[in-house]
Amino acid sequence: MAVLIHGVVDQNCEATVRLVVGNADTERQVVDAIIDTGFTGFLTLPHSVLSTLNLKPYSREEGTLADGSEVIFDVYSGFVIWDGAFRRIDINASDATPLAGMSLLYGYRVQFDTIEGGEVKIQAFHELNQNLQ
């Protein structure tokens, strides 16, 4: 049976998805992340969430923001419940609104209705192919 990840288009016309993020132990937190097709990483989270989850940075990487400026991000290793399973991902620290990037969405179809309250649907390609057979 196909698993769908659901989200909603918010009042700012941003496609959002609710995620459960955590560490390797038992700490978990729910966050609402904006789907950002211009972000090639997995996920950004504020330092406050990373601290609550007791995550520690393991590297740094350079990134280019939408305005063209270059920044250095601390990179953390964490978990997200994605498509019904725990998945280890890299998380970039950013004190802006959490962003779900293209690396998290890779291998999935994303559909959304671009109206306030519109539905966001994310489904794995392998599940789509099974439904067509």
Side-chain angles (χ1 to χ4, degrees):
M1 182 172 155
V3 174
L4 282 176
I5 300 165
H6 292 277
V8 65
V9 175
D10 67 15
Q11 68 277 6
N12 297 319
C13 206
E14 296 168 322
T16 64
V17 63
R18 181 161 283 170
L19 301 172
V20 176
V21 295
N23 62 21
D25 296 321
T26 59
E27 285 85 7
R28 305 283 180 263
Q29 188 162 341
V30 176
V31 297
D32 290 321
I34 297 169
I35 296 172
D36 184 350
T37 60
F39 172 45
T40 58
F42 289 91
L43 184 66
T44 67
L45 290 176
H47 287 95
S48 60
V49 174
L50 296 164
S51 177
T52 298
L53 295 173
N54 295 313
L55 297 176
K56 305 291 183 233
Y58 76 89
S59 73
R60 302 185 92 190
E61 68 181 32
E62 188 175 308
T64 305
L65 300 181
D67 67 3
S69 61
E70 299 286 330
V71 296
I72 302 293
F73 292 102
D74 287 328
V75 181
Y76 297 71
S77 181
F79 288 88
V80 64
I81 297 177
W82 184 255
D83 204 7
F86 283 98
R87 180 176 174 189
R88 181 178 290 277
I89 62 168
D90 286 342
I91 302 169
N92 291 26
S94 173
D95 286 324
T97 302
L99 301 175
M102 294 302 285
S103 290
L104 185 61
L105 297 168
Y106 188 82
Y108 289 79
R109 172 177 286 163
V110 180
Q111 297 176 293
F112 48 90
D113 300 325
T114 51
I115 59 171
E116 185 175 342
E119 185 177 15
V120 175
K121 293 189 242 178
I122 303 170
Q123 186 175 16
F125 282 125
H126 67 85
E127 292 170 355
L128 291 167
N129 292 335
Q130 289 174 358
N131 290 340
L132 295 175
Q133 296 175 357

